Amino acid sequence: ELATRIIVVDDGSPDPQVQAGLERMQPFFQQNGIRLIRRENGYLGAARNTGAAAASGEFICFLDDDDIALPDMVEKLVTAAQNTGADIVTCMQIFMPEHRRHEAWPSPGLFANKLDHHPLGAGPLSLAPVENVFGPATALFSRRAFDRVGGYTELQGVGHEDYELFLKAAQADLRIELCPFPLYLY
């Protein structure tokens, strides 16, 4: 059985409600071995790289603060990676309007909506320069693959840093697979 370690990165949020919420969650974090890392705002790529640098496992899985993982997300992604030999495993997502977020917690599996993103996995690569054929930012990376491509770009405000990372991985001939299940609410 794989040990799961959760790392939460506060990317310098100036929102007092976020800071108060993180303080309230400290006892929960401590009881469950969750590590909180606070850093100055560096944008998405820098925050994800900070979390990855603190991780010690064979796999790294990213989940943004406005997404909710379904209970079996990590298990299914790891199973897909192990069974296919993939370096990176992406998945599908279910769209969740922000104003309905309260309906999805604490039971995201009960939230019903349409699939939001229909990635193709690793191709066709001929479409990759104009369309993200790989999948969403919520994905599982082998540590080896993540380190090989150098992590995410840390340019601020550019966007699509996940797409850029997938393109770098494809150029490095890393194997990207799609786990054909919706595994989180976006």
Side-chain angles (χ1 to χ4, degrees), residues 25-139:
M25 294 179 75
Q26 282 291 354
F28 175 80
F29 288 170
Q30 290 173 351
Q31 290 171 355
N32 292 285
I34 298 171
R35 181 173 176 195
L36 173 63
I37 299 173
R38 295 179 187 266
R39 55 163 288 134
E40 287 186 32
N41 182 263
Y43 201 60
L44 295 170
R48 291 181 184 140
N49 288 341
T50 296
S56 59
E58 178 184 352
F59 296 105
I60 305 165
C61 185
F62 297 95
L63 184 72
D64 289 345
D65 64 336
D66 57 347
D67 299 333
I68 298 176
L70 296 177
D72 59 353
M73 181 185 83
V74 173
E75 179 183 6
K76 282 189 175 176
L77 290 173
V78 169
T79 299
Q82 291 174 331
N83 288 333
T84 64
D87 299 295
I88 301 168
V89 180
T90 64
C91 63
M92 294 185 218
Q93 62 195 26
I94 298 171
F95 179 69
M96 170 188 58
E98 191 170 340
H99 71 277
R100 293 185 59 201
R101 184 180 179 92
H102 66 280
E103 296 174 37
W105 191 254
S107 301
L110 299 176
F111 196 89
N113 212 323
K114 295 179 181 176
L115 288 176
D116 181 57
H117 189 102
H118 303 275
L120 304 172
L125 290 180
S126 59
L127 290 178
V130 294
E131 179 71 29
N132 180 354
V133 296
F134 305 106
T138 295

Side-chain angles (χ1 to χ4, degrees), residues 3-17:
T4 301
R5 179 168 182 190
I6 297 173
I7 299 168
V8 175
V9 178
D10 171 18
D11 191 35
S13 176
D15 187 333
Q17 289 183 316

Side-chain angles (χ1 to χ4, degrees), residues 104-182:
W105 191 254
S107 301
L110 299 176
F111 196 89
N113 212 323
K114 295 179 181 176
L115 288 176
D116 181 57
H117 189 102
H118 303 275
L120 304 172
L125 290 180
S126 59
L127 290 178
V130 294
E131 179 71 29
N132 180 354
V133 296
F134 305 106
T138 295
L140 181 87
F141 294 82
S142 72
R143 161 58 76 181
R144 179 189 59 76
F146 188 82
D147 291 345
R148 183 170 165 193
V149 296
Y152 289 96
T153 181
E154 295 193 9
L155 295 173
Q156 290 195 18
V158 174
H160 303 287
E161 66 290 327
D162 52 324
Y163 179 32
E164 179 183 354
L165 183 69
F166 292 139
L167 284 170
K168 289 191 308 188
Q171 290 171 335
D173 203 28
L174 294 173
R175 186 170 176 183
I176 304 169
E177 291 289 341
L178 169 67
C179 181
F181 299 105

